Amino acid sequence: MSNTISNEIITIGSDPELAFVTPKGETLNADDLYSPKKDAQDIDCEFGYDGHSATGEIRPKPATNPKDAIKAVEKILKDNRKRYPQAYRYNMMATSHRLSLGGHIHFGHPHLTPQYRFYDILARRLVLNLDNLLAFPAMYLEDKNDGRWRRHNNYGKFSDWRPQTWGIEYRTLSSFIASKELTKYILYTAHAIADATINHKFKCRPVTTADGFQYALNEQARDLLRPHLIGVF
């Protein structure tokens, strides 16, 4: 069965970022390694740059299920090996001590657009569920020092999202394309959370809104926060 509400499909997409790193650990600028024919920051450029040209970014088309969303990510990375072999000579990293690499996830659904009268309530409930059930556990998968650096530079805070014409963009996660397995876990979990929120009115019992939780996350105080994982699981 497909995930539906009023016969509408939940779509999932993403635009994860990546860094190019030499074997010695030096980070290279993406625009020094490849030049797309399209505008590298345009949404239609599937293998481009982020807001600054030091960071690479891939932009797969949204899919109606996480399995196809993962295939879209894999296809872009595979196809562009032939187009930009010079870039693939280096390590492609999903975490960096010098660049803030985000893993934004896109959720498309009519009830996540302003045309729906309860849009704001639903969007904020989805973001709260994602904060608690996805972003918080995912903190333990991110490099500790890179995670601290990223959040000290105001990237990756809880409830970081923005509206789009097709739905919402969730911006808290770090890049999740370190491996196919990690990409699979993140996108399947994200889609399941969206399905539970939109179709079944699920609302988790939040822990991330507690006083000091964001600060502990910023400082990567993992041992301090670990007891809260019991409630999350």
Side-chain angles (χ1 to χ4, degrees), residues 213-226:
F213 205 98
Q214 179 69 69
Y215 178 79
L217 179 80
N218 295 349
E219 298 303 321
Q220 294 291 290
R222 299 182 179 189
D223 291 340
L224 180 65
L225 296 178
R226 195 176 298 276

Side-chain angles (χ1 to χ4, degrees), residues 18-22 26-28 30 33-34 47 56 87 90-92:
L18 64 156
F20 298 90
V21 183
T22 69
E26 178 187 4
T27 304
L28 305 175
L33 298 176
Y34 63 96
F47 196 89
Y90 301 97
N91 296 322
M92 299 169 69

Side-chain angles (χ1 to χ4, degrees), residues 58-110:
I58 64 172
R59 305 182 185 100
K61 294 290 189 293
T64 58
N65 60 78
K67 182 177 181 179
D68 288 342
I70 294 161
K71 286 181 179 179
V73 171
E74 188 175 30
K75 185 175 188 303
I76 288 176
L77 292 174
K78 182 179 179 180
D79 289 350
N80 283 279
R81 178 183 291 274
K82 301 173 184 177
R83 295 189 183 106
Y84 310 118
Q86 68 280 13
Y88 281 71
R89 290 169 47 209
Y90 301 97
N91 296 322
M92 299 169 69
M93 307 290 290
T95 184
S96 170
H97 65 280
R98 191 175 76 86
L99 299 172
S100 293
L101 302 179
H104 305 161
I105 302 183
H106 308 155
F107 300 94
H109 191 276

Side-chain angles (χ1 to χ4, degrees), residues 143-161:
D143 180 89
K144 189 173 183 178
N145 292 327
D146 291 348
R148 183 185 293 116
W149 187 92
R150 195 166 71 92
R151 292 184 176 89
H152 280 200
N153 284 274
N154 293 316
Y155 293 98
K157 299 293 180 67
F158 284 127
S159 299
D160 184 1
W161 69 283

Side-chain angles (χ1 to χ4, degrees), residues 1 24 26 40 43 48 82 128 132 176 191:
M1 292 179 61
K24 294 183 178 180
E26 178 187 4
I43 191 172
K82 301 173 184 177
L128 183 69
N132 285 269
F176 46 80
H191 195 266

Side-chain angles (χ1 to χ4, degrees), residues 127-140:
V127 168
L128 183 69
N129 289 339
L130 290 165
D131 280 348
N132 285 269
L133 303 180
L134 182 61
F136 169 40
M139 177 188 79
Y140 290 87

